[in-house]
Amino acid sequence: MKIVLMGAPGCGKGTQSPYVQERYGLCHLSTGDMLREAVTRKTVNGLLAKDAMNAGKLVSDDIVFGIVKDSIKNPECRYGYILDGFPRTLKQAQLMDEAGEKVDKVIEFSAPDEVILQRTSGRWIHKASGRTYHEVFRPPQSPGKDDVTGEELYQRKDDRRDVCEKRLEIYKNETRPLAEYFSKLGVYTMINADRTVDEVRKNIAALLDPIAVATGLK
């Protein structure tokens, strides 16, 4: 069974991926992990990716797909895989199709922009200890101060709201052509991710259980 999970940062994909992995015996492949492993192992595609990054260039779609192809050959992927963060572009999706990697289901996790931004922005950190706070979900007792030491908290650039807004907009622009592409193939479904973990989980199982039965995984 071959599954693609799509969703903006903070949509809940990371929470649900281990459940999908365990329920169907699939391997979980995230683009970042695959890229780091290929570079560490000095595979052909890993070396090409490292050269591109060292030169300050984006890693091309062909190289990224080469790394994905290498990864899905691993023994732990014998029953199928969950792709997380790939494909990121229309060309990457087309390369998969041309290589015969037919996806069984693409699930996009959807939540209102404000929910996504609330989850992804507003984190503050105490440098010395690593203690983390969130403006909404775990606010410090005194704004901008560590609960234990009273020292100033700092915010990473990636946790600022304006940066999170830009990342969300980039995600939307990248995803729109992919949603259209996979819809035409009849494998795309968008689910409401602004619900409890269990509710989202039941939705996912309802979508994937029939495929698992058809492929002999259940």
Side-chain angles (χ1 to χ4, degrees), residues 4-8 11 13 106-109 171 175 178-179 182 188:
V4 171
L5 299 183
M6 293 167 45
C11 69
K13 237 181 341 128
V106 176
I107 300 175
E108 181 174 6
F109 290 62
Y171 169 78
T175 304
L178 286 172
F182 285 122
Y188 171 84

Side-chain angles (χ1 to χ4, degrees), residues 203-217:
N203 197 168
I204 292 170
L207 290 169
L208 298 184
D209 278 1
I211 300 171
V213 170
T215 54
L217 291 179

Side-chain angles (χ1 to χ4, degrees), residues 9-23:
C11 69
K13 237 181 341 128
T15 301
Q16 299 294 347
S17 291
Y19 164 76
V20 178
Q21 181 179 8
E22 184 176 345
R23 184 175 180 87

Side-chain angles (χ1 to χ4, degrees), residues 3-124:
I3 308 301
V4 171
L5 299 183
M6 293 167 45
C11 69
K13 237 181 341 128
T15 301
Q16 299 294 347
S17 291
Y19 164 76
V20 178
Q21 181 179 8
E22 184 176 345
R23 184 175 180 87
Y24 305 107
L26 309 178
C27 66
H28 178 249
L29 301 173
S30 109
T31 305
D33 291 343
M34 285 186 283
L35 184 58
R36 282 187 290 273
E37 184 182 355
V39 171
T40 300
R41 290 173 51 210
K42 298 182 179 179
T43 65
V44 172
N45 286 301
L47 292 173
L48 290 171
K50 186 177 181 181
D51 287 343
M53 291 186 289
N54 287 344
K57 299 177 182 176
L58 289 174
V59 181
S60 73
D61 290 330
D62 293 288
I63 294 173
V64 174
F65 179 60
I67 289 171
V68 172
K69 275 204 304 184
D70 292 340
S71 298
I72 61 182
K73 292 174 185 173
N74 293 335
E76 58 267 30
C77 297
R78 61 189 177 279
Y79 298 121
Y81 51 75
I82 307 157
L83 284 177
D84 181 352
F86 183 93
R88 184 61 60 83
T89 67
L90 183 57
K91 184 180 178 185
Q92 289 175 358
Q94 291 167 336
L95 286 169
M96 278 189 72
D97 204 32
E98 290 165 9
E101 287 298 318
K102 307 294 183 183
V103 175
D104 294 300
K105 179 60 74 174
V106 176
I107 300 175
E108 181 174 6
F109 290 62
S110 175
D113 287 2
E114 190 52 43
V115 171
I116 294 290
L117 291 170
Q118 194 178 69
R119 290 175 182 175
T120 55
S121 67
R123 181 170 61 169
W124 291 80

Side-chain angles (χ1 to χ4, degrees), residues 15 75 149 159 186:
T15 301
T149 65
D159 294 329

